[in-house]
């Protein structure tokens, strides 16, 4: 029995079967590269769903984490600690908001956005008690809590977890008229992803973000953007909304804020909205903890110092062009923004997983979404030469 199989067997025996990973066991990482227990090297084209934008084990972030571990651990929010404020200030400046509320996972940031929107709806907009509605989109992915999967349209995510939390209305993504029609006097917010990552990198029509911003403003509805996957330079700007000047009222961030080392998330807004939260009305034991704060400060510094926004923009265009030049007859559509790219295969090409297995044999790790689509989202520190190499492997795998 191989070492790989032994480890997989142990996972299978003792772990709940809520995932179906590729049969590769990783034990080391650096930059855009990961190694398995057999010593094989792979280029990571998933980046833990964009949580590793800065590259694996970035030395600057590792150093910050190690230094913090030697100074102060968990304080909880019952006391102040000497680093959370610096983290929140840095995050607010980076994102362009007055205030941030720190949490840990993306789902918690989304829950924070939902709670903020409802409370704002009652206190500021005057929606009658318990009548607030939040509009969301079909194909959404916002996390795994009971409330969040209650407005999912993916049967795997939501079946068997009812009853669904009331107060959500689902409309088609990338459909302006649907949004206009769904808004009522009780609508508190529109919660949406600027590109639907988990749905298979669905990039909305040009002007969509600008238009939803305008409609929300016109109707006194909060625009809540989930940039947990698209944020922190992934799509070629700091945030995807910046492509169309569609600054949301509430910005939800996570994933790469933790630099691949630690779960850190946040909801950001200006004071006139965030002030609906008062002491005791929302919180988290680990939110804003010193280790997470130190890691996040360093993670933001790397994004800025290494200009990863410009890099993602340039390399994303280069990657897309290379894929288009490939001209494979198995490909139905190639789409993307920055370094968030998807190759959708034709039905007759068979499931994407077959090609992923082939690519794995040639040194690339990527992930399928919805059977027919392969997502490519390497760490933003990847080089042009590495992208050339990835494209050559993709075209070989598709031959
Ligand atoms: C990953 C993701 C989440 C959930 O984040 P977790 O840290 O897994 O809870 C929410 N929204 C989007 C768009 C995501 O990609």
């Amino acid at each position: 029995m191989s070492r790989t199989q032994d480890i997989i067997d142990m996972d299978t025996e003792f772990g709940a079967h809520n995932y179906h990973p590729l049969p590769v066991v990783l034990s080391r990482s650096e930059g855009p590269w990961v190694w398995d227990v057999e010593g094989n090297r792979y280029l990571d084209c998933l980046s833990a769903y964009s949580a590793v934008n800065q590259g694996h084990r970035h030395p600057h972030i590792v150093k910050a984490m190690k230094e913090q571990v030697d100074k102060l651990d968990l304080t909880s929010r019952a006391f102040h600690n000497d680093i959370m404020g610096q983290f929140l200030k840095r995050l607010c400046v980076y994102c362009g908001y007055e205030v941030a509320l720190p949490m840990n996972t993306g789902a918690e940031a989304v829950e924070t956005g939902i709670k903020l929107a409802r409370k704002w709806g009652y206190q500021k907009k005057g929606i009658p008690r318990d009548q607030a509605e939040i509009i969301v989109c079909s194909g959404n992915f916002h996390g795994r809590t009971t409330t969040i999967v209650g407005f999912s349209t993916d049967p795997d995510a939501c079946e068997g977890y009812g009853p669904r939390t009331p107060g959500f209305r689902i409309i088609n993504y990338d459909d302006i008229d649907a949004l206009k029609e769904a808004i009522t006097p009780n609508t508190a917010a529109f919660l949406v992803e600027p590109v639907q990552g988990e749905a298979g990198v669905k990039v909305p029509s040009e002007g969509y973000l600008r238009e939803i911003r305008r409609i929300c403003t016109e109707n006194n509805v909060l625009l809540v953007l989930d940039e947990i996957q698209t944020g922190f330079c992934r799509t070629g700007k700091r945030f995807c909304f910046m492509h169309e000047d569609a600054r949301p009222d509430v910005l939800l961030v996570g994933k790469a804020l933790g630099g691949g080392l630690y779960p850190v998330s946040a909801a950001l807004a200006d004071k006139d909205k965030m002030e609906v939260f008062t002491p005791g009305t929302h919180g988290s034991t680990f939110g804003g903890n010193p280790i997470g704060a130190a890691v996040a400060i360093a993670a933001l510094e790397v994004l800025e110092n290494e200009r990863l926004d410009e890099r993602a923009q340039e390399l994303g265009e280069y990657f897309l062009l290379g894929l288009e030049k490939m001209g494979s007859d198995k490909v139905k559509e190639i789409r993307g923004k920055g370094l968030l790219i998807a190759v959708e295969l034709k039905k007759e090409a068979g499931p994407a997983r077959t090609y992923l297995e082939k690519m794995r044999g040639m040194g690339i790790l990527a992930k399928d979404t919805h059977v027919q689509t392969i997502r490519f989202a390497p760490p933003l520190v990847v080089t042009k030469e590495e992208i050339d190499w990835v494209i050559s492997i993709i075209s070989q795998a598709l031959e």
Side-chain angles (χ1 to χ4, degrees):
M1 273 272 220
S2 70
R3 176 119 191 265
T4 295
Q5 197 54 51
D6 285 349
I7 295 169
I8 292 174
D9 289 348
M10 187 152 68
D11 288 357
T12 310
E13 187 176 352
F14 294 104
H17 298 168
N18 57 330
Y19 279 94
H20 181 40
L22 289 179
V24 58
V25 178
L26 303 177
S27 57
R28 192 158 72 83
S29 64
E30 189 175 323
W33 298 96
V34 292
W35 285 260
D36 70 13
V37 288
E38 321 280 351
N40 301 306
R41 186 178 83 150
Y42 307 92
L43 196 103
D44 179 4
C45 280
L46 181 64
S47 308
Y49 304 90
S50 295
V52 194
N53 288 357
Q54 298 89 342
H56 290 279
R57 294 193 307 110
H58 193 292
H60 182 66
I61 312 175
V62 168
K63 180 165 174 277
M65 185 169 187
K66 284 182 171 168
E67 283 175 5
Q68 187 58 44
V69 165
D70 282 333
K71 278 194 290 200
L72 176 69
D73 60 344
L74 185 61
T75 56
S76 88
R77 297 292 302 276
F79 315 116
H80 290 271
N81 68 60
D82 66 357
I83 187 163
M84 186 189 77
Q86 293 172 57
F87 154 49
L88 296 178
K89 180 178 179 187
R90 182 115 205 178
L91 179 65
C92 284
V93 170
Y94 186 90
C95 303
Y97 287 83
E98 289 174 3
V99 211
L101 193 155
M103 299 295 279
N104 314 284
T105 64
E108 290 172 308
V110 173
E111 289 279 353
T112 301
I114 291 168
K115 288 168 93 172
L116 190 160
R118 284 184 169 181
K119 209 157 203 183
W120 173 88
Y122 301 126
Q123 290 187 359
K124 305 264 179 173
K125 185 166 173 169
I127 296 172
R129 189 189 169 91
D130 291 345
Q131 298 298 305
E133 289 168 2
I134 294 175
I135 300 170
V136 297
C137 288
S138 56
N140 72 70
F141 183 83
H142 296 291
R144 299 290 196 172
T145 66
T146 324
T147 286
I148 292 171
V149 300
F151 56 80
S152 170
T153 57
D154 174 0
D156 284 342
C158 64
E159 276 307 310
Y161 298 127
R164 293 166 182 259
T165 302
F168 295 92
R169 207 179 239 252
I170 302 167
I171 62 169
N172 281 335
Y173 189 59
D174 196 16
D175 186 339
I176 293 291
D177 289 334
L179 176 62
K180 286 184 191 159
E181 283 161 27
I183 292 174
T184 74
N186 290 343
T187 306
F190 178 37
L191 166 64
V192 64
E193 299 154 86
V195 169
Q196 285 189 330
E198 294 314 292
V201 189
K202 293 278 161 66
V203 182
S205 315
E206 164 120 37
Y208 178 68
L209 298 178
R210 198 176 301 121
E211 194 60 10
I212 60 172
R213 174 64 280 181
R214 194 187 62 74
I215 292 165
C216 285
T217 304
E218 202 173 273
N219 291 281
N220 195 25
V221 166
L222 296 184
L223 177 60
V224 182
L225 279 189
D226 179 346
E227 291 241 26
I228 291 164
Q229 185 161 157
T230 51
F232 299 122
C233 306
R234 174 53 61 187
T235 71
K237 297 224 181 256
R238 285 186 179 195
F239 293 98
C240 192
F241 76 77
M242 292 172 174
H243 289 285
E244 297 195 357
D245 287 325
R247 182 181 182 269
D249 300 289
V250 181
L251 177 67
L252 308 177
V253 297
K255 294 208 165 108
L257 183 55
L261 287 167
Y262 201 87
V264 186
S265 71
L268 293 111
D270 287 337
K271 282 181 184 147
D272 60 331
K273 282 126 203 155
M274 196 68 91
E275 71 191 7
V276 300
F277 290 126
T278 51
T281 59
H282 188 44
S284 160
T285 304
F286 285 88
N289 76 75
I291 314 283
V295 164
I297 291 170
L300 291 170
E301 283 168 351
V302 169
L303 295 173
E304 280 191 78
N305 296 344
E306 301 188 13
R307 298 172 181 269
L308 292 185
D309 47 354
E310 291 166 23
R311 206 181 159 86
Q313 180 67 36
E314 204 184 302
L315 293 178
E317 281 169 15
Y318 185 75
F319 201 156
L320 270 181
L321 204 69
L323 287 170
E324 275 155 14
K325 275 202 212 132
M326 204 171 66
S328 164
D329 58 1
K330 293 202 171 65
V331 173
K332 182 179 164 197
E333 190 182 44
I334 296 165
R335 52 181 182 262
K337 215 170 180 68
L339 276 173
L340 185 56
I341 291 169
V343 175
E344 186 174 343
L345 302 176
K346 290 178 184 160
K347 279 266 170 341
E348 55 268 32
R353 210 171 155 107
T354 323
Y355 302 96
L356 292 172
E357 291 284 354
K358 274 198 208 168
M359 289 194 300
R360 182 167 64 91
M362 294 187 274
I364 288 179
L365 289 183
K367 178 85 173 72
D368 52 333
T369 63
H370 300 267
V371 187
Q372 233 51 54
T373 303
I374 310 175
R375 161 179 26 200
F376 294 101
L380 309 181
V381 295
V382 71
T383 64
K384 232 175 192 166
E385 292 68 36
E386 286 160 348
I387 289 176
D388 286 336
W389 178 75
V390 170
I391 292 168
S392 78
I393 301 276
I394 296 170
S395 82
Q396 282 176 57
L398 289 178
E399 252 166 34

